[in-house]
């Protein structure tokens, strides 16, 4: 017996995805990064269409300048936890800016988006509480449930009636239940029925946390996400998000309309027992937030790309994971080999995307996930769509009527 | 020890049927499977398929199964028994 015997599934997947020594379709090695939408991979300059860089801010001049200035004045890292020596003025300023942006009293910054879910959810729901989570939630949410001592119940993905029945079964315990959903699911790009979920959660007296990881920066009048766009900020208790998508950095946050969120700083293990984000990351993220708040131009450009991409790929006959255009565009296949062939075809055509296969995907589906960016030029978007058109016949995909 | 009542027996039959029906719905080849078969190793269900199966059982029996109950069930029989205890504790 070996400690590695239990990884037989992973070994089989690794073997299945091996492609005669060519660049791997998972964890593709990136070479030189030229811009938000261009990199050299395997010796070739390619269009990046799988990076979650929704607003393209990783190469924003002011964000880069803020990061460089922070390194010059504060060094490369804090070397300490927020609870100890790693609590810099920059962290507190960013938290204040996040809270102000939502119009809420409290915000906490975590070192990664993963830790934001892990730290907020596991601390909010304790031994006598309940967690009610969407079945297709991100791994960080499921891991938070494991770390929490709460009783965890899953409900069917995007099924408010299923949530309603489960909360009803809890009776008075629903008042000690935290409902956790994502507003925009990263795998398929589909949106949660947030209005119904808010209504049901409130009717049962449950608390509601919404993960806006893939929607923050992309939706809402000031870019705060789908809850803002739907006018639900007065109804939601907590919003979690990440700095590693629209804001182009790394880190995460939890904001709340409850000032008692501050107590989590004394109770949340993923907040307490890790080093705080580096000053350069905090400075760049703060500048990116200012950019998001400064106007709708990037959001409008991103959504213009999304509408064009969804319309043209659907016309080619591709099946998309969501009906409503958004920054995540998942091309869905029932067979892994078909998705893998498309990923390889796009790569050979100079377009980098993401391949996602079971068991990391819902309902056994295989996907080629394309992330759109405001930084994509119209020509780059044309290149991506032309590559999809070129490969459609090879996959049995035919133009829709 | 008291003899099981007819309602206990009915409940056990109902749970067994719900588990079996859900299993076959997710994995048609699992019809007639030995109750001690390992769901992951022998039936070949991945974690997502196990979750789908549980949700079918939940709808069928009108219950909610905490994730913690799943973690302790590796076989069909263990799952059936876990759900039985769950229903017993809530009645």
């Amino acid at each position: 017996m070996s400690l590695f015997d239990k990884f037989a599934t992973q070994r089989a997947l690794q073997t299945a995805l091996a492609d005669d020594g060519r660049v791997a379709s998972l964890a593709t090695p990136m070479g030189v990064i030229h811009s938000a939408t261009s990199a050299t991979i395997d010796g070739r300059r390619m269009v990046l269409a799988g990076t979650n860089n929704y607003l393209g801010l990783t190469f924003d001049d002011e964000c880069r300048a803020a990061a460089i200035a922070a390194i010059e004045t504060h060094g490369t890292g804090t070397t300490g936890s927020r609870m100890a020596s790693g609590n810099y003025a920059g962290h507190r300023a960013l938290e204040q800016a996040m809270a102000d942006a939502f119009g809420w009293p409290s915000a906490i910054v975590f070192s990664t988006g993963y830790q934001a879910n892990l730290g907020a959810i596991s601390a909010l729901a304790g031994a006598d509480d309940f967690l009610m989570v969407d079945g297709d939630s991100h791994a960080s949410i499921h891991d938070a449930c494991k770390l929490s001592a709460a009783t965890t119940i899953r409900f069917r993905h995007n099924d408010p009636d299923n949530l309603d029945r489960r909360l009803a079964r809890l009776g008075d315990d629903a008042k000690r239940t935290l409902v956790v959903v994502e507003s925009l699911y990263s795998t398929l790009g589909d949106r949660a029925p947030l209005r119904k979920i808010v209504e049901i959660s409130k009717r049962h007296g449950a608390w509601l946390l919404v993960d806006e990881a893939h929607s923050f920066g992309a939706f809402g009048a000031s870019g705060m996400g789908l809850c803002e766009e739907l006018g639900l900020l007065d109804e939601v208790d907590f919003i979690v998000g990440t700095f590693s998508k629209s804001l182009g950095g790394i880190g995460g946050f939890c904001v709340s309309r409850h000032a008692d969120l501050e107590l989590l700083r004394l109770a949340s293990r993923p907040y307490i027992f890790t080093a705080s984000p580096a000053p350069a990351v905090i400075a760049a993220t703060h500048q990116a937030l200012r950019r998001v708040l400064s106007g709708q131009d990037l959001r409008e450009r991103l959504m213009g790309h999304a509408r064009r991409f969804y319309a043209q790929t659907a016309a080619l006959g591709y099946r998309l994971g969501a009906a409503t255009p958004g920054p995540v565009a998942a091309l869905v296949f029932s067979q892994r080999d078909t998705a893998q062939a498309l990923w390889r075809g796009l790569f050979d055509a100079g377009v980098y995307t993401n391949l996602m296969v079971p068991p990391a995907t819902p309902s056994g589906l295989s996907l080629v996930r394309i992330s759109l960016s405001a930084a994509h030029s119209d020509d780059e978007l044309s290149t991506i769509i032309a590559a999809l058109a070129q490969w459609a016949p090879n996959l049995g995909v035919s133009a829709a009527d | 020890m008291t003899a099981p009542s007819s309602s206990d027996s009915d409940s056990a039959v109902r749970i067994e049927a719900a588990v079996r029906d859900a299993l076959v719905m997710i994995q048609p080849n699992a019809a007639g499977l030995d109750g001690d078969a390992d769901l992951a190793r022998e039936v070949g269900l991945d974690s997502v398929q196990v979750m789908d199966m549980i949700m079918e059982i939940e709808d069928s029996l009108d219950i909610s199964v905490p994730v913690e109950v799943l973690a302790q069930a590796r076989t069909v029989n263990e799952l059936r028994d876990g759900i039985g205890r769950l229903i017993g504790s809530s009645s």
Side-chain angles (χ1 to χ4, degrees):
Chain A
M1 287 289 288
S2 157
L3 288 176
F4 294 111
D5 286 349
K6 58 180 168 292
F7 301 122
T9 303
Q10 288 82 357
R11 193 186 300 278
L13 180 64
Q14 185 183 48
T15 302
L17 293 177
D19 195 358
D20 298 329
R22 302 180 72 191
V23 170
S25 51
L26 295 182
T28 308
M30 294 279 171
V32 179
I33 313 296
H34 305 289
S35 72
T37 60
S38 176
T40 294
I41 304 173
D42 198 26
R44 296 176 51 210
R45 190 158 178 141
M46 304 189 66
V47 175
L48 297 177
T51 63
N52 301 330
N53 201 352
Y54 301 133
L55 300 182
L57 291 175
T58 52
F59 276 77
D60 178 85
D61 287 342
E62 291 181 314
C63 291
R64 286 195 289 179
I68 291 165
I71 287 179
E72 296 290 355
T73 53
H74 299 295
T76 54
T78 66
T79 73
S81 160
R82 291 291 299 281
M83 292 294 283
S85 57
N87 189 26
Y88 288 14
H91 299 105
R92 297 196 301 275
L94 178 56
E95 287 172 339
Q96 187 63 54
M98 290 294 306
D100 291 347
F102 279 90
W104 283 352
S106 181
I108 298 178
V109 164
F110 293 83
S111 297
T112 67
Y114 175 89
Q115 285 173 302
N117 268 331
L118 203 67
I121 294 169
S122 68
L124 285 166
D128 296 326
D129 304 323
F130 293 84
L131 285 163
M132 191 76 72
V133 302
D134 185 287
D136 282 3
S137 293
H138 188 264
S140 57
I141 293 172
H142 291 310
D143 290 356
C145 294
K146 288 180 187 171
L147 184 62
S148 166
T151 299
T152 301
I153 296 168
R154 303 190 198 195
F155 65 94
R156 280 189 189 276
H157 174 56
N158 276 354
D159 188 338
D161 294 335
N162 199 264
L163 170 65
D164 196 5
R165 286 198 296 277
R166 279 160 164 68
L167 284 172
R169 285 182 199 130
L170 286 178
D172 206 46
D173 285 339
K175 296 181 176 62
R176 291 188 289 115
T177 298
L178 180 65
V179 176
V180 180
V181 299
E182 297 176 48
S183 58
L184 183 81
Y185 285 85
S186 61
T187 307
L188 294 176
D190 52 333
R191 302 179 188 198
L194 283 173
R195 285 191 197 284
K196 281 190 171 181
I197 288 170
V198 163
E199 183 274 318
I200 289 164
S201 300
K202 286 175 71 77
R203 176 155 47 80
H204 289 283
W207 301 68
L208 179 59
L209 182 150
V210 179
D211 181 348
E212 297 258 28
H214 289 266
S215 42
F216 182 84
F219 298 99
S222 55
M224 295 302 102
L226 279 168
C227 288
E228 184 193 28
E229 182 157 300
L230 297 170
L232 296 172
L233 286 184
D234 289 340
E235 318 288 341
V236 173
D237 296 289
F238 309 95
I239 287 179
V240 168
T242 176
F243 299 146
S244 63
K245 311 296 191 259
S246 285
L247 297 184
I250 184 171
F253 66 87
C254 179
V255 287
S256 178
R257 59 192 176 90
H258 306 287
D260 280 347
L261 180 72
E262 290 296 315
L263 297 171
L264 264 62
R265 295 184 197 275
L266 304 171
S268 173
R269 298 173 66 83
Y271 173 83
I272 297 169
F273 297 105
T274 196
S276 62
V281 167
I282 291 295
T285 299
H286 199 151
Q287 182 55 36
L289 176 64
R290 292 187 193 98
R291 181 67 184 87
V292 167
L293 293 168
S294 69
Q296 285 275 25
D297 56 330
L298 292 179
R299 290 188 283 285
E300 287 174 359
R301 182 163 177 80
L302 171 64
M303 289 310 295
H305 284 346
R307 285 189 291 272
R308 178 185 164 197
F309 184 89
Y310 267 66
Q312 294 192 0
T313 51
L316 288 170
Y318 284 100
R319 178 183 163 201
L320 285 151
T324 307
V328 177
L331 306 177
V332 179
F333 302 92
S334 55
Q335 299 297 320
R336 185 178 67 193
D337 289 351
T338 313
Q340 193 176 353
L342 177 61
W343 184 90
R344 175 62 61 194
L346 294 174
F347 188 88
D348 289 344
V351 177
Y352 169 77
T353 60
N354 279 313
L355 176 68
M356 300 183 74
V357 296
T361 52
S363 306
L365 296 171
S366 292
L367 332 160
V368 171
R369 193 177 65 177
I370 289 169
S371 300
L372 300 165
S373 173
H376 279 133
S377 67
D378 292 344
D379 285 347
E380 285 174 328
L381 198 58
S382 296
T383 299
I384 299 166
I385 294 168
L388 286 167
Q390 178 192 338
W391 275 89
N394 302 338
L395 308 167
V397 172
S398 58
D401 293 332
Chain B
M1 178 183 283
T2 56
S5 68
S6 61
S7 62
D8 288 341
S9 173
D10 289 348
S11 178
V13 169
R14 202 163 54 92
I15 294 169
E16 174 86 22
V19 170
R20 289 284 178 177
D21 289 350
L23 178 61
V24 172
M25 185 177 295
I26 302 301
Q27 178 53 275
N29 296 334
L33 187 81
D34 189 292
D36 289 327
D38 188 292
L39 290 168
R41 196 158 32 82
E42 295 176 59
V43 186
L45 297 184
D46 62 36
S47 58
V48 176
Q49 288 175 309
V50 170
M51 280 313 309
D52 288 345
M53 186 178 90
I54 296 301
M55 288 193 172
E56 295 296 336
I57 296 169
E58 290 175 318
D59 285 350
S60 171
L61 297 174
D62 193 26
I63 58 170
S64 298
V65 180
V67 171
E68 296 76 14
V69 171
L70 301 182
Q72 296 160 7
R74 296 173 60 87
T75 68
V76 172
N77 287 347
E78 288 174 4
L79 181 58
R80 177 200 64 196
D81 295 345
I83 292 172
R85 285 192 295 274
L86 185 69
I87 291 177
S89 67
S90 63
S91 62

